[in-house]
Structures are given as C-alpha cells and as structure tokens.
Amino acid sequence: LSPMAGATSSDLYLLEYPDRREVLRVFRAERWEIPADELSKREILILDALTGTALPAPAPIDTFMHNGVLMSWLPGDVELPAQPDRLWLGKLAGTLAAIHSSRITVPYVYESWNDTTADTQPNWWRDDQLWMAAQHRARQRPAFAPRFIHRDYHPVNVLWQAGEISGVVDWINACMGPAGIDVAHCRLNLAIMYGLEAADVFLSEYVEAAPGYEHDAFWDLDDALGALPNVEPYAPWAEFGLTGLTTEVVRERLLAFVAAAIR
C-alpha cells in the first residue's frame, strides 16, 4: 500500500499484486459537503457507466462500506510541460471532445461552483469596473443541451504514456451538463498555469475536434469566479514539475482570463 501523489480532496493509494495493480481512493471528509459513503457510491456508479466505452477511465472494482473506492490502475503519468505546444494541447482537447461525444448518462446534474449570492470582491482584486462587469455577465447563463461531462477536466487529471493520453482520472464530479463548463475549466487551469495563449490554443483545438461547438464566454466567467476567493498555486503542479508559480502570478493570470472573457 503506497501513497500516490496529486490528490487534494482525497488520499490515493497504490496496491500492488503479483499480477495487477489497483488504486484505492479514500475521501477527506472535511473537503466535501456530501458524506464519504455517498461519494463512494457515486464514483463507482460513474466508473461503471464508463465501463465498455473507449474512454481511458479506470475500471470499477468495489467500494468500502463507509469510505473508499477501489478501481483499476491506469498506466502513464501526469505530464506538465514547462510550456505546452499545440500537439500536447490538441490531444488534451481531443480527449475532452471524446468525453462529450459519448452517449453515457449518469443520474447527476451540473451545478455551478460560482455562488453568485456571495459577491464579495476579494481584497486582491483591484479593478472595480472589471469586477462589476464580471458579476453582471455571470448572471446571464446561456441555454445548453446537457451531455456527459467530466466536470473537473484539467492537466493533473490526465495521464500520458509515450506521448499519448493513457488515462483520465478523478471522475467523482462527472454529471450531465454543459460542455462549455468543461472547456472553460480546462482553459482556466491552462491560463493560470501557462498564460492566456495556451488556453486559446486549447479552445481552437477543441473546436476542431468538436465541429459546430461555439464557446460562450459565460462559462469562462462562471468557472473563474467559482475559483474565488483564495486563488493560489495548486499544490500538485509543483509535485509534477511545474514550479515557479506564485500567488501573485496566478491571480494576475486569472484577472487577464476574466478580462478576455468580458471582451
């Protein structure tokens, strides 16, 4: 039983046997509003729905009575380049498009992570006009056709092997909802990690992989505002080799992302 890197809302352990490897996920109760036993049932149901598809997801094995999901181990590692190229971003986008084009259904429905009733401006957000514009636009949610979404798709939840994506993990938040929020969530992460250009290249690659998709900037705002107020470097970035990001840098990049969405 060996601890695995990269988790923040749960603890991950690798179980090694002579003929196979398995992964145990144990939820950290203080990080969730839903009881751990319900989270365990939810994730095993989602993994079961993914079984038999072409999507590179872990296979469900079992749940522990009070807290824990046992699943198959996937080959590959999280890869965070110092600066991503179009090929890397294109594969990231193509896999997300494949998730959205699947016919999976689960009994969970999208909810925004942006509490629009808690509209207190963070003390580090100096641009009052941008704040007011973002709050106004974030109350104009567009119509959408629900589909299966990952809901927390970003580079730390993607595994690579030999230059190809070998796995997508952390499916606990998967639900039926707007493709735009998945695109926006990955875009926000890329913008904070690497800058706005990486987020824009990702979007153009996603559009190429999902013809007819039109991105509404509302989703960028909804996801960015949902990250407030404590915007700071995500600990797993450094664990996987992307170092040097400061709180000041990631906050500046989030503000630039919001300003681009308003434009």
Side-chain angles (χ1 to χ4, degrees):
L1 190 69
S2 307
M4 300 177 71
T8 56
S9 60
S10 59
D11 295 303
L12 296 175
Y13 301 95
L14 176 64
L15 289 72
E16 298 191 76
Y17 302 95
D19 60 340
R20 70 189 188 282
R21 293 176 174 178
E22 297 174 352
V23 174
L24 172 63
R25 179 178 191 173
V26 179
F27 297 98
R28 298 178 187 174
E30 72 277 7
R31 297 294 303 271
W32 299 87
E33 296 178 0
I34 301 172
D37 60 335
E38 291 185 26
L39 290 169
S40 302
K41 293 174 185 176
R42 173 175 175 143
E43 185 156 37
I44 206 80
L45 185 152
I46 293 166
L47 294 179
D48 189 58
L50 286 157
T51 301
T53 70
L55 298 175
I61 297 175
D62 206 348
T63 58
F64 283 52
M65 183 178 296
H66 300 297
N67 183 359
V69 178
L70 192 64
M71 65 194 83
S72 66
W73 170 85
L74 295 177
D77 299 288
V78 174
E79 294 184 3
L80 304 183
Q83 193 64 40
D85 59 23
R86 182 173 284 272
L87 182 62
W88 186 86
L89 291 166
K91 290 177 179 178
L92 199 64
T95 297
L96 184 59
I99 292 171
H100 295 159
S101 66
S102 72
R103 297 185 179 181
I104 296 172
T105 59
V106 292
Y108 307 111
V109 180
Y110 155 79
E111 293 181 7
S112 173
W113 291 340
N114 174 29
D115 182 1
T116 54
T117 64
D119 57 356
T120 302
Q121 184 173 341
N123 57 12
W124 53 266
W125 187 306
R126 305 297 184 188
D127 190 331
D128 295 340
Q129 278 193 316
L130 180 63
W131 175 260
M132 289 187 291
Q135 290 295 318
H136 174 72
R137 181 68 180 86
R139 287 171 170 77
Q140 303 171 42
R141 190 173 87 174
F144 63 88
R147 64 184 66 197
F148 181 69
I149 61 174
H150 183 280
R151 193 60 182 97
D152 195 17
Y153 189 84
H154 59 84
V156 172
N157 282 335
V158 177
L159 305 177
W160 298 78
Q161 186 178 48
E164 300 294 337
I165 291 177
S166 59
V168 178
V169 298
D170 195 7
W171 293 89
I172 183 63
N173 294 297
C175 59
M176 308 308 293
I181 195 65
D182 261 0
V183 175
H185 190 60
C186 196
R187 273 173 50 75
L188 176 64
N189 276 267
L190 291 167
I192 290 177
M193 295 165 73
Y194 299 114
L196 193 57
E197 182 180 355
D200 288 343
V201 171
F202 172 83
L203 177 56
S204 67
E205 291 292 323
Y206 180 87
V207 171
E208 185 171 331
Y213 175 80
E214 295 182 7
H215 190 63
D216 193 308
F218 167 87
W219 302 115
D220 290 341
L221 288 175
D222 186 70
D223 201 64
L225 295 176
L228 302 179
N230 300 318
V231 178
E232 54 192 22
Y234 183 48
W237 292 340
E239 287 184 60
F240 294 114
L242 185 64
T243 59
L245 290 173
T246 65
T247 298
E248 182 179 9
V249 166
V250 299
R251 289 178 177 177
E252 287 177 355
R253 288 178 173 176
L254 181 138
L255 291 174
F257 184 76
V258 169
I262 294 296
R263 289 196 298 271

